[in-house]
Amino acid sequence: MHPASDKSTPGHTTHARDISSRDVARMSALTQYPQLLKLLIDKSREAIGFFPAHNPRTLEYPWILANVPTDLRGLRMLDVGAGVNPLPLVLADRGASVITLDNHPDTCNPQRREQWSEWGFLDYSALDSRIESVRMPYEESQFSTAFDCVYCVSVIEHIPSSVRETWISKFAAQVKPGGLLLLTVDLIPDTNLLWNLCAGQVVEGTSVHGEWSRLLDELSRAGFAIQDIRIERHIPDSRVDAGFVKAIRNT
C-alpha cells in the first residue's frame, strides 16, 4: 500500500488500490501511449474509484486500446478474465458492444467500493448498461455470435497449460475470420518462461507450464497469424516482465 502522504497528491483518490502519482509520472514516461494512459486513468478513477496500483497495467491497458479502432460502432468485443478494469468502459464509450467474462469467486459489491481491488467478479452493467457481464469459466463459454475482437490482459498465464490450450481453441472459435486477438502475458523476469503462479500458488512446474515461443506456436496452430509481439523488461516495481501478442484469425 502506498504511504498516506501519496493519497493527498493531486490526481489521487483515497482508494487503497489507486496508483500513486509517482508511478503515474514514471510510467507515463515509459509507455508509448501516454495520452491513452491518461484517458484510462481518468475513466477508471471516475467510474471504478481507482486505477490499479500495478505498474504493468499502465503499459497493458493503453496497448490494448491502441490496437483497436477509435470508432468501434457495430463491433463486438469480449474481455476474458476481466476482473476490475477500465477497458470495457472506454470501449463502450467508443461504441463497442462489450461482454466481460470472469469466474472469480469474490463479487464486487457496488455499495463497498472501498473494498474493491482489480480482482473479483464485477457486473459492469451496474456501471454502464451497454456492457454485459457473464460469470463462468471461459473454457465453458458459448456465444451465439463471434466477436470482432477478443482480448485478455495477463490471465492466460495463470491457468494450467491444458486449460490454456482449451482457451486458445475457444479464441479460434469465437474470433471472426479476420478478427483480432490481443493478449498480454506475465513472464518470469529476465526469462521467456510463462509466469506460473496464481494467487501466490504454483500452478504447475515451469517445464510443464511452458514459455513464450510455445504460446506463440499454440496460437499459430489454432489458426492465428501473429502480427506483432514484444516483451517489456524491467518494469519499475514489478515482479513480472510483460509480453504482448497481436494476432489475426486466419480467414
Side-chain angles (χ1 to χ4, degrees):
M1 183 181 297
H2 297 293
S5 59
D6 271 353
K7 298 305 179 185
S8 62
T9 303
H12 264 281
T13 74
T14 58
H15 199 286
R17 286 298 302 165
D18 194 32
I19 191 170
S20 71
S21 291
R22 174 176 178 264
D23 283 338
V24 170
R26 59 181 175 165
M27 297 310 296
S28 294
L30 286 178
T31 180
Q32 294 179 313
Y33 314 106
Q35 292 304 312
L36 292 180
L37 176 58
K38 182 181 186 304
L39 170 69
L40 286 156
I41 290 174
D42 290 347
K43 185 68 175 182
S44 192
R45 286 172 169 169
E46 171 197 350
I48 296 169
F50 67 97
F51 183 91
H54 181 56
N55 283 343
R57 300 293 180 260
T58 66
L59 304 176
E60 294 168 306
Y61 293 159
W63 179 82
I64 296 286
L65 202 54
N67 279 281
V68 299
T70 301
D71 185 352
L72 295 171
R73 286 175 292 183
L75 299 187
R76 284 171 46 83
M77 307 188 76
L78 175 66
D79 185 326
V80 177
V84 181
N85 84 86
L87 280 168
L89 301 162
V90 175
L91 295 170
D93 284 345
R94 289 187 172 188
S97 173
V98 184
I99 296 178
T100 68
L101 185 147
D102 203 297
N103 195 42
H104 200 282
D106 297 334
T107 300
C108 296
N109 182 344
Q111 307 306 315
R112 302 299 301 270
R113 292 194 189 195
E114 73 279 2
Q115 297 180 354
W116 290 8
S117 69
E118 64 179 295
W119 304 282
F121 175 79
L122 173 62
D123 182 357
Y124 283 81
S125 68
L127 304 179
D128 190 323
S129 61
R130 297 170 296 184
I131 304 173
E132 177 185 352
S133 295
V134 177
R135 191 173 205 165
M136 68 168 55
Y138 180 56
E139 59 271 23
E140 298 177 8
S141 66
Q142 299 288 336
F143 296 101
S144 58
T145 306
F147 294 89
D148 298 281
C149 174
V150 172
Y151 66 92
C152 180
V153 176
S154 291
V155 180
I156 197 169
E157 70 277 13
H158 296 294
I159 58 178
S161 56
S162 59
V163 180
R164 181 178 75 236
E165 292 179 4
T166 301
W167 279 34
I168 291 172
S169 296
K170 285 285 184 182
F171 294 154
Q174 294 178 357
V175 176
K176 291 179 179 179
L180 185 61
L181 175 68
L182 299 172
L183 303 177
T184 71
V185 183
D186 290 343
L187 302 174
I188 296 174
D190 296 315
T191 78
N192 284 349
L193 295 170
L194 302 179
W195 185 255
N196 66 332
L197 299 182
C198 182
Q201 302 298 311
V202 174
V203 174
E204 57 196 354
T206 54
S207 61
V208 175
H209 201 54
E211 45 86 38
W212 181 243
S213 63
R214 176 174 159 187
L215 172 64
L216 299 179
D217 287 344
E218 290 168 353
L219 291 169
S220 296
R221 288 198 302 272
F224 286 97
I226 308 298
Q227 297 291 299
D228 187 36
I229 59 170
R230 68 184 182 91
I231 296 175
E232 190 75 31
R233 307 282 190 191
H234 309 125
I235 301 169
D237 293 334
S238 172
R239 297 174 61 200
V240 299
D241 293 342
F244 301 78
V245 184
K246 178 181 180 180
I248 304 296
R249 180 75 173 94
N250 289 330
T251 56

